[in-house]
Amino acid sequence: MSNSSDSRRAAITSVGHYLPEQRLTNSDLEEMVETNDEWIRTRTGIRERRILGDDGKATSFMATKAAQEALDRRGLTADAVDMIVVATVTPDMLFPATACMVQDNLGASNAWGFDLSAACSGFLYALTTGAQFVETGQAETVLVIGADKMSSIVDYTDRTTCILFGDAAGAVLLEADDEKGLVDTIHHADGEHKDLLCMEGGGSLNPPTHETVDKHMHYIHQDGRQVFKFAVTRMADVCVEVMEQNDLTNDDVQYLVPHQANKRIIDATANRMGLADEKVMLNIDRYGNTTAATIPLCLFDWEEELEVGDGLILTAFGGGFTWGASYLTWAYDGADPQWDLPRSVL
Ligand code: UT7
């Protein structure tokens, strides 16, 4: 899905994030399940993750913090926002949408919004969705947020999943630019393997009952080995596909921004793309897999390194299955205090 209009692209013009303070380290997990630091580090690359805790805070709290930071760094007030898309699999409630809570928390009185469910590909799907509204002129300023309180659906007695996930939120602001921004995206979905990574309970198929709770159906279930096999090939394939479709060589790609599920999957993808380690954004060691938040968290962590015009490939693979890759050119220099996107192009 290429953006054929060179005159109005959707560009990322600010980034924000939220990380809970509480850390859950590998040695903490050693006390909870039969595991060890060495296994977790060598199999996944994770050293620690953040946990939001149980004091009444949920996904909308983290999403609001990340969104507010993105607005503050851009120097905009919430009334400038036209639309809010929240990618999450851990909404505060099944309804109303988390986006409505974020809208209210921010005081974004001119915005509409909704949640988008695509598991670990959620941010990428939401970016494409938000970008469509900017490119067509239906919206001028869109908040795209990836936020998940994974600790609310992780079974801390299951060592195969509890070592993987953490809580966090990341947000980007999309605005129109006449040159830089989202260039091309390829998305895929394949529901055939839905059972390999899912949460069976709580929806209309298995509404909550004592039985569903007793059977741990309100927690994530993953066949890690099978998901790994799909992820490692599909993520590399789609990145090569987006490079070929846009005539890109590895020199044209300054950074790969991959979903952070497993360092081995990321390494294999970078290898297929011919990218050196220094071109790969990697922070899984500090945050684990934060589902929809991984990609904007990377953008936040690397924002000072990014220069205007840099070519980025964002990629994700997750439950569904869902996967994809986006090629974009970086539009703003957040490290430069003089930076300002001319609002006249909007
Ligand atoms: O983000 C959404 C998409 N998700 C992914 O991309 C995740 C993809 N999957 C993975 O990242 C990996 O499959 C895992 C990290 C989940 C697991 O790594 P693996 O190398 O595939 O391990 P495995 O499942 O094949 O298990 C190897 C062994 C097993 O023991 P046996 O059968 O060989 O005796 C497991 O029981 O490791 C055992 N094991 C553990 N040992 C210590 C499983 N979990 C643990 C653990 N600590 N936490």
Side-chain angles (χ1 to χ4, degrees):
M1 188 194 328
S2 175
N3 170 13
S4 55
S5 159
D6 285 345
S7 57
R8 194 175 161 99
R9 289 196 195 283
I12 293 175
T13 59
S14 188
V15 189
H17 83 309
Y18 179 79
L19 285 162
E21 278 175 24
Q22 188 188 332
R23 290 159 202 260
L24 182 67
T25 64
N26 290 352
S27 60
D28 293 332
L29 285 161
E30 285 176 6
E31 309 290 315
M32 298 159 66
V33 287
E34 177 99 32
T35 190
N36 61 79
D37 173 57
E38 209 239 328
W39 190 97
I40 301 173
R41 272 191 294 103
T42 52
R43 299 280 178 143
T44 70
I46 304 170
R47 289 172 186 275
E48 63 178 35
R49 341 84 199 107
R50 302 296 182 93
I51 302 294
L52 187 58
D54 294 326
D55 60 352
K57 295 193 179 87
T59 297
S60 68
F61 170 82
M62 299 191 292
T64 303
K65 291 273 191 194
Q68 187 64 61
E69 186 176 52
L71 287 170
D72 291 346
R73 291 168 65 138
R74 178 76 178 93
L76 293 179
T77 51
D79 53 8
V81 179
D82 298 319
M83 180 180 170
I84 301 168
V85 188
V86 178
T88 188
V89 289
T90 51
D92 289 27
M93 306 175 199
L94 274 182
F95 77 92
T98 308
C100 293
M101 296 165 202
V102 174
Q103 179 274 332
D104 181 43
N105 292 343
L106 291 173
S109 50
N110 298 314
W112 67 291
F114 54 90
D115 291 1
L116 189 153
S117 174
C120 294
S121 308
F123 180 79
L124 216 54
Y125 276 41
L127 188 71
T128 304
T129 306
Q132 302 301 304
F133 287 84
V134 173
E135 288 163 9
T136 58
Q138 289 272 318
E140 300 295 350
T141 308
V142 176
L143 268 170
V144 176
I145 305 169
D148 271 301
K149 184 182 177 183
M150 296 306 290
S151 61
S152 67
I153 57 167
V154 164
D155 181 352
Y156 285 99
T157 65
D158 173 9
R159 70 172 183 173
T160 68
T161 52
C162 74
I163 54 129
L164 300 172
F165 295 98
D167 303 337
V172 301
L173 212 54
L174 292 180
E175 296 175 83
D177 189 288
D178 50 11
E179 195 186 331
K180 313 277 188 319
L182 191 61
V183 180
D184 192 19
T185 296
I186 300 171
H187 286 302
H188 295 288
D190 180 0
E192 189 188 342
H193 308 288
K194 59 186 180 303
D195 299 332
L196 296 179
L197 177 50
C198 61
M199 187 178 104
E200 291 179 285
S204 54
L205 182 62
N206 298 298
T209 61
H210 288 290
E211 195 192 353
T212 64
V213 173
D214 290 344
K215 287 182 167 171
H216 289 206
M217 287 168 74
H218 301 270
Y219 292 129
I220 299 170
H221 287 274
Q222 175 174 245
D223 182 335
R225 203 175 297 189
Q226 289 304 319
V227 175
F228 187 95
K229 281 187 200 160
F230 281 99
V232 79
T233 50
R234 299 292 191 277
M235 196 188 257
D237 286 348
V238 76
C239 287
V240 169
E241 201 181 342
V242 90
M243 283 174 79
E244 287 176 355
Q245 195 159 284
N246 292 278
D247 294 323
L248 302 175
T249 69
N250 51 8
D251 287 337
D252 300 316
V253 180
Q254 274 66 51
Y255 284 100
L256 173 68
V257 194
H259 169 56
Q260 313 276 309
N262 188 313
K263 184 175 183 299
R264 290 183 290 146
I265 296 172
I266 295 169
D267 289 346
T269 303
N271 199 26
R272 274 276 302 282
M273 296 167 75
L275 297 181
D277 287 353
E278 57 270 21
K279 286 189 165 189
V280 181
M281 295 190 188
L282 193 74
N283 56 18
I284 190 173
D285 55 322
R286 285 170 282 150
Y287 315 135
N289 182 350
T290 57
T291 303
T294 57
I295 290 177
L297 270 186
C298 280
L299 293 174
F300 184 86
D301 279 357
W302 264 260
E303 187 250 286
E304 288 199 6
E305 263 68 64
L306 290 168
E307 289 178 13
V308 173
D310 277 354
L312 272 54
I313 291 185
L314 282 48
T315 187
F317 182 92
F321 292 138
T322 55
W323 70 103
S326 294
Y327 167 54
L328 61 83
T329 51
W330 196 245
Y332 91 103
D333 184 358
D336 176 3
Q338 299 302 315
W339 178 84
D340 190 24
L341 181 82
R343 299 274 299 169
S344 57
V345 303
L346 306 179

